[in-house]
Amino acid sequence: MPNQWTGKGNPYTRAEVRARLQATLDSQKAIIAAGAGTGISAKFIEKGGADLIIIYNSGRFRMAGHGSTAGLMAYGDANAVAMEIGEFEVLPVVEEIPVICGVHGSDPRRRMWHHLLKVKDMGFSGINNFPTHCIVDGHFRRVLEETGMGFQKEVEMVRLASKMELFSIVYVATPDDARHMAEAGADAIIAHVGTTVGGSIGVTDASCSMDEAVERTQQIIDAAKEVRSDIFFLAHGGPINTPDDVRLVLERTNVQGFVGASSLERMGVEESLTELTRKFKSLAR
């Protein structure tokens, strides 16, 4: 579907993004969204045919050789980092597909309506709730909720984005999260089942088995569908890492696609650079 604007990195409307995703489904293909922490990643993710590019602050840490969880820590201004990656690296090189901005919805220093206006003005086609507190649990999660920095702030951010006609693709970790985001108007829901396994800086053990990931993903889908029927559903995280993993989840749930950050960007770099360097080093004089 052609963009109504011309030039690199220009935005799509909410309706246009939804139409593009529906066209992918109508062609019997899975929706694939990919995280990009650098311009070159974005350029070649687009060449690979991804439907969406998402800018996470964690992409900067990930592509600097650190674990993605660094994006949840106080190692920088998450909202500023995502905007910077978008403005100076990704939006200038992406030719055609929509680019989504990660927004830290619970940042108490932001007037969120003002920040979302800047996101829209920058040329992003939508928002994602990252860093997200939906994947925080235990005592620390209770502290975040009690002190006004919990997941509900992310829901409020998505509700505001919906009023501003910004496309929203959001992480949720539980059926209740899914219901709240569906009520807030989220266009696409990502069932987050844990930190991605594998590679040099991924976790070694999944927080759940593949069977559990499948069950949790379907529970999230079912809960959101109780609220609205026009939501796109994608899988992410935990043991869902390779194309074969995603194929299995597509077969066993009603999910319609996959979101990959570490599993696409980082794994691709790790594997290709390692193998290419070995080939050069195998040369003899």
Side-chain angles (χ1 to χ4, degrees), residues 8-255:
K8 292 183 177 181
N10 285 313
Y12 289 86
T13 66
R14 183 184 188 184
E16 286 172 332
V17 178
R18 291 186 60 91
R20 287 173 63 93
L21 299 186
Q22 188 59 52
T24 294
L25 297 180
D26 290 344
S27 66
Q28 304 302 309
K29 294 182 179 179
I31 297 167
I32 302 298
T38 67
I40 196 165
S41 296
K43 179 179 289 190
F44 289 96
I45 285 168
E46 179 173 29
K47 285 185 179 295
D51 296 284
L52 299 173
I53 288 175
I54 305 177
I55 307 302
Y56 305 99
N57 74 312
S58 59
R60 173 156 294 172
F61 295 103
R62 183 165 46 245
M63 300 311 288
H66 309 297
S68 298
T69 305
L72 295 171
M73 304 299 289
Y75 301 149
D77 183 336
N79 282 316
V81 168
M83 291 286 277
E84 185 178 292
I85 294 172
E87 181 175 14
F88 298 115
E89 297 194 47
V90 172
L91 289 170
V93 301
V94 168
E95 295 281 352
E96 196 269 337
I97 67 174
V99 181
I100 307 300
C101 185
V103 176
H104 195 187
S106 64
D107 186 343
R109 304 163 302 167
R110 292 294 197 281
R111 293 171 295 160
M112 194 48 62
W113 63 270
H114 184 242
H115 182 66
L116 293 181
L117 283 174
K118 291 194 289 184
V119 167
K120 198 168 187 178
D121 185 60
M122 183 74 70
F124 288 100
S125 296
I127 58 96
N128 167 258
N129 61 325
F130 194 90
T132 176
H133 294 173
C134 79
I135 57 175
V136 179
D137 56 17
H139 175 70
F140 186 48
R141 174 64 178 270
R142 290 194 296 274
V143 171
L144 289 171
E145 298 293 341
E146 290 174 8
T147 54
M149 291 177 281
F151 182 70
Q152 189 57 37
K153 298 291 288 187
E154 298 173 36
V155 174
E156 292 170 8
M157 182 269 290
V158 170
R159 195 183 311 278
L160 184 57
S162 298
K163 291 179 180 178
M164 298 169 69
E165 284 300 311
L166 272 166
F167 176 84
S168 58
I169 176 169
V170 301
Y171 285 115
V172 305
T174 69
D176 280 344
D177 292 346
R179 291 186 191 94
H180 291 312
M181 282 299 192
E183 290 166 354
D187 294 289
I189 284 178
I190 310 163
H192 197 308
V193 296
T195 304
T196 302
V197 172
S200 65
I201 52 178
V203 297
T204 55
D205 294 312
S207 58
C208 61
S209 68
M210 181 60 78
D211 285 343
E212 290 169 331
V214 165
E215 182 179 2
R216 287 172 56 186
T217 297
Q218 189 60 49
Q219 288 172 347
I220 284 169
I221 293 170
D222 291 342
K225 282 186 173 181
E226 292 173 6
V227 181
R228 288 187 14 244
S229 61
D230 62 342
I231 301 171
F232 299 98
F233 294 101
L234 299 97
H236 174 81
I240 309 169
N241 186 11
T242 68
D244 285 341
D245 297 332
V246 176
R247 185 178 296 110
L248 187 152
V249 177
L250 288 168
E251 291 171 353
R252 295 178 59 186
T253 72
N254 297 125
V255 83

